[in-house]
Amino acid sequence: GAGVSQSPSNKVTEKGKDVELRCDPISGHTALYWYRQSLGQGLEFLIYFQGNSAPDKSGLPSDRFSAERTGGSVSTLTIQRTQQEDSAVYLCASSSRQGITEAFFGQGTRLTVV
Amino acid sequence: GENVEQHPSTLSVQEGDSAVIKCTYSDSASNYFPWYKQELGKRPQLIIDIRSNVGEKKDQRIAVTLNKTAKHFSLHITETQPEDSAVYFCAASRGTSYGKLTFGQGTILTVHP
């Protein structure tokens, strides 16, 4: 595709349910990031995938959060037993080679936990 | 790991004035410094970037300066316009075998007509 695609664009879920957020990076991009952005706040780093290297999971806020990247392309962020404080916009970004080129962001998934 | 500090958190200027946003970084091995603009309800988008072999880069009304010795870089917007109102993020990366982008906290710029 032409850009980074995320789905769904909006997700409303009940507290305690699990959710999966999907990111389709730009074809050929080896680096993929997940960020979380609460209303009016900055970009909170969650996880970083780079090629075949072990992912940097240092930003995941709890063990309820996990992410995987299959075949070096599509990534899924999973939040188990969602809590109200998980409500935010989840942004995915990809870049073509390591960190030295532009990172392109998806439009985000707005998650609301009720 | 890298730590990027960004100031100010909010900046209000009159149309036509200049705006300056500053960032400092901790990792002396960082050599790629992009700036992103995020308009309300939209995704962040790159507006300008600089690499460590360059001290200054300009693109029309936008310029970025880099001081590697002091480990800081700045975004300068001249002749500001209301459409410049947005959140601006700086970032830093090593750009080597593990070049994760680390973002600053963001600056909310408001340009008053």
Side-chain angles (χ1 to χ4, degrees):
Chain A
V4 178
S5 178
Q6 292 187 245
S7 60
S9 54
N10 281 284
K11 175 73 176 178
V12 179
T13 189
E14 292 182 351
K15 178 181 173 181
K17 299 285 189 182
D18 297 352
V19 295
E20 286 189 351
L21 312 180
R22 177 187 170 104
C23 173
D24 282 272
I26 293 172
S27 178
H29 278 193
T30 58
L32 187 148
Y33 305 79
W34 281 99
Y35 293 93
R36 178 168 71 174
Q37 189 172 37
S38 301
L39 188 63
Q41 301 298 309
L43 297 166
E44 178 187 3
F45 167 74
L46 297 177
I47 189 168
Y48 168 59
F49 296 91
Q50 174 51 266
N52 295 320
S53 301
D56 179 347
K57 304 179 181 180
S58 60
L60 295 178
S62 77
D63 58 8
R64 296 187 295 106
F65 288 72
S66 62
E68 62 177 22
R69 189 177 184 191
T70 54
S73 181
V74 172
S75 177
T76 302
L77 177 68
T78 301
I79 309 173
Q80 296 178 311
R81 305 181 301 281
T82 51
Q83 304 295 315
Q84 288 186 330
E85 59 263 30
D86 299 334
S87 296
V89 175
Y90 289 81
L91 288 162
C92 174
S94 71
S95 65
S96 64
R97 184 163 69 95
Q98 299 163 350
I100 62 172
T101 60
E102 177 179 358
F104 293 83
F105 282 83
Q107 81 282 11
T109 293
R110 182 175 297 279
L111 175 67
T112 304
V113 182
V114 297
Chain B
E2 174 69 278
N3 182 50
V4 178
E5 296 288 333
Q6 182 172 346
H7 300 280
S9 56
T10 60
L11 180 59
S12 183
V13 300
Q14 289 296 126
E15 183 176 1
D17 288 350
S18 294
V20 181
I21 303 170
K22 299 182 178 182
C23 289
T24 60
Y25 60 98
S26 61
D27 185 353
S28 57
S30 288
N31 62 4
Y32 175 62
F33 308 92
W35 286 87
Y36 286 79
K37 176 183 181 182
Q38 186 178 29
E39 296 177 353
L40 190 63
K42 297 189 176 181
R43 72 191 78 186
Q45 292 191 297
L46 181 76
I47 54 171
I48 195 168
D49 57 14
I50 192 168
R51 301 175 194 276
S52 63
N53 57 340
V54 176
E56 182 175 1
K57 183 177 179 181
K58 281 186 176 181
D59 183 3
Q60 299 182 352
R61 297 185 297 108
I62 293 173
V64 57
T65 58
L66 171 65
N67 183 329
K68 284 219 77 180
T69 302
K71 290 192 282 188
H72 67 69
F73 55 112
S74 301
L75 177 71
H76 304 253
I77 307 174
T78 58
E79 300 172 23
T80 53
Q81 301 167 3
E83 51 265 39
D84 294 329
S85 297
V87 181
Y88 291 81
F89 294 97
C90 63
S93 165
R94 283 191 172 188
T96 55
S97 60
Y98 199 72
K100 185 182 81 175
L101 271 177
T102 301
F103 283 88
Q105 299 88 340
T107 296
I108 301 171
L109 173 64
T110 304
V111 180
H112 298 283

